[in-house]
Amino acid sequence: MVHRRPLGRRFGWLWGAYAVSAFGTRLAFDAFPLIAILVLHAGPTEVSALAATGLAVGAAVAVPLGPWVEFRRKRPVMIAMDLVRCAALLSVPAAYAAGLLTFAQLLVVSVVVGAADIAFGAASGAYLKALVRPEDLVVANGRFESASWTATVLGPPVGTAAMGLFGPVTTVVADAVSYLLSAVGIRAIGGGEPRPVRPGGSRARLRPGELAEGWRFVLGHPALRPLFFNTVLVSGLIMATSPLLAVLMLGDLGFAPWQYGLAFGLPCLGGVLGSRLARPLVSRFGRHRVMLTAGALRACWSLGLAFVRPGAAGLVLVVVVEFGLIACMGVFTPVFAAYRLERTPADRVARTLSAWSVTSKVTVAAMTGLWGLLAEALGPRTAIGVAGVLMLATPVLLPRHDPAVRPDPEPAPAPSRT
């Protein structure tokens, strides 16, 4: 039996802040596309551009933020990014109320929120590594993963109902408030945090070479390099086929919207289950074996979506396939996140996580556009099948060996002020 070990009050505040903002984000799921369609009367091209621009341009803007975050205290950065996201999102209902909302504003807000997401993720990962003992990283990341999937189950249906009752910008306000509450929670963590020192002194300017340090470290690491390519490719293939499956189910196959929502809401319980199983599985079989097995199994499901048919049987097929995929992801993600943090030196965590996230978001944007063109030429079912076949090849990118973890170097002493 695996005993639950408390991770402390400070982690509790961090986890609570994450859970609140995750629920707010899922509550506002698809809010911007719906506002663009219902309020601004945007067409399919503009809606697609809105999604792609937020990912790609936001990622590009975030490139210098990784080195910037690395050499600053992480809690103030997280609070600042929460407040930036809150202010950016609140500008949307404010402009809507004044009759001044434009498509360009939605684009700008998407970029700002996307960049702040990456900076926050880099800072929170580095802070978690310092806050939690190495042996507790799987548990900590498992709780984040469980909160994320729980929010995914509850948020979209509640958000859809709220938009129907109170108007299209309601969930945007709720999302903004969730970031404000997250900032309050992170502020309540308390405790001291040493100021990181950049080599050459705390006043040294950001050097151009530091922008690529995260990528240099990942691509030079024998275990993280294959994981980097694996996770970026898997994420890209899953996200690229998501809109195509919506077109296939809601258009060609005639599923009702509530059936489509059920097909993707119910399987998220698999993510909650998988995240709860991650720690006991690691305790029994070892971290590396669980990561390899769950990483390989999550590649085996997507091809089944190419065979969905109309009616109850097709709905059941989608639910089963998505449940299996998400359950495997629920096990894999916290184990992988802990593995990545353990193998990244403390003075490179923010840059590494930032580079990883930037690459993933740009890849998702590019592959979404590419698969849209493929679906236009061959049909959505064939495009989904091609992605499923490629998914089957992704396990070859998982690291076969588990190199020893190098201990973090002792932090350099702060320069004297005298």
Side-chain angles (χ1 to χ4, degrees):
M1 179 178 178
V2 179
H3 297 283
R4 291 175 61 87
R5 181 163 54 190
L7 299 182
R9 182 194 66 84
R10 299 177 69 196
F11 174 81
W13 278 110
L14 180 64
W15 179 84
Y18 174 85
V20 168
S21 63
F23 184 75
T25 298
R26 302 312 295 178
L27 194 72
F29 180 70
D30 277 349
F32 274 25
L34 288 174
I35 292 172
I37 294 168
L38 298 176
V39 177
L40 303 176
H41 309 292
T45 302
E46 290 173 302
V47 173
S48 298
L50 179 62
T53 300
L55 285 173
V57 181
V61 171
V63 168
L65 293 180
W68 180 81
V69 170
E70 192 78 80
F71 301 107
R72 281 161 177 79
R73 294 185 178 94
K74 305 305 182 287
R75 279 179 57 230
V77 170
M78 289 189 285
I79 292 171
M81 293 303 104
D82 272 338
L83 295 178
V84 165
R85 290 183 288 186
C86 176
L89 289 170
L90 284 178
S91 74
V92 172
Y96 173 76
L100 301 174
L101 183 63
T102 64
F103 186 78
Q105 181 178 350
L106 291 183
L107 283 174
V108 171
V109 172
S110 296
V111 169
V112 171
V113 171
D117 284 344
I118 294 175
F120 183 93
S124 63
Y127 186 71
L128 180 66
K129 180 179 173 74
L131 183 66
V132 175
R133 293 170 295 188
E135 61 270 23
D136 289 331
L137 281 173
V138 171
V139 177
N141 282 288
R143 293 185 188 176
F144 288 133
E145 186 75 1
S146 179
S148 178
W149 286 115
T150 301
T152 303
V153 173
L154 300 176
V158 175
T160 302
M163 279 191 284
L165 290 172
F166 305 110
V169 300
T170 303
T171 57
V172 177
V173 175
D175 194 13
V177 171
S178 77
Y179 287 124
L180 181 61
L181 294 175
S182 173
V184 172
I186 294 169
R187 177 69 178 82
I189 292 173
E193 184 182 354
R195 182 182 181 87
V197 178
R198 178 183 286 118
S202 60
R203 296 183 182 273
R205 291 183 177 181
L206 176 65
R207 296 185 294 270
E210 291 180 351
L211 296 176
E213 179 59 31
W215 283 282
R216 276 197 295 267
F217 172 74
V218 171
L219 296 177
H221 195 287
L224 294 183
R225 181 174 58 248
L227 269 177
F228 176 71
F229 290 118
N230 174 273
T231 56
V232 167
L233 182 58
V234 167
S235 177
L237 289 170
I238 291 174
M239 297 304 295
T241 56
S242 179
L244 305 185
L245 191 58
V247 171
L248 180 64
M249 292 182 66
L250 296 172
D252 299 351
L253 302 180
F255 285 97
W258 71 265
Q259 292 174 311
Y260 177 78
L262 179 66
F264 291 94
L266 188 60
C268 292
L269 295 173
V272 179
L273 175 64
S275 62
R276 299 297 296 270
L277 290 175
R279 173 59 189 273
L281 287 174
V282 166
S283 298
R284 182 169 182 178
F285 299 107
R287 181 172 301 179
H288 191 252
R289 182 180 296 180
V290 170
M291 186 175 68
L292 282 181
T293 303
L297 288 176
R298 85 195 200 283
C300 300
W301 297 92
S302 294
L303 184 58
L305 296 174
F307 300 98
V308 62
R309 291 291 184 268
L315 184 62
V316 171
L317 174 64
V318 175
V319 170
V320 170
V321 169
E322 290 290 330
F323 186 92
L325 171 63
I326 292 172
C328 293
M329 291 171 61
V331 175
F332 174 84
T333 301
V335 179
F336 147 71
Y339 186 92
R340 179 175 60 182
L341 282 177
E342 280 193 352
R343 281 151 183 78
T344 305
D347 62 349
R348 288 187 177 91
V349 172
R351 285 172 288 180
T352 298
L353 296 184
S354 178
W356 209 298
S357 184
V358 166
T359 305
S360 181
K361 289 180 183 295
V362 171
T363 302
V364 167
M367 292 183 72
T368 299
L370 178 61
W371 252 257
L373 295 175
L374 187 63
E376 189 72 28
L378 304 176
R381 188 185 299 276
T382 302
I384 292 169
V386 171
V389 171
L390 291 176
M391 280 281 284
L392 294 175
T394 57
V396 302
L397 295 173
L398 293 169
R400 299 299 169 190
H401 305 288
D402 188 16
V405 181
R406 297 179 181 177
D408 287 330
E410 292 294 324
S416 173
R417 294 182 181 272
T418 59

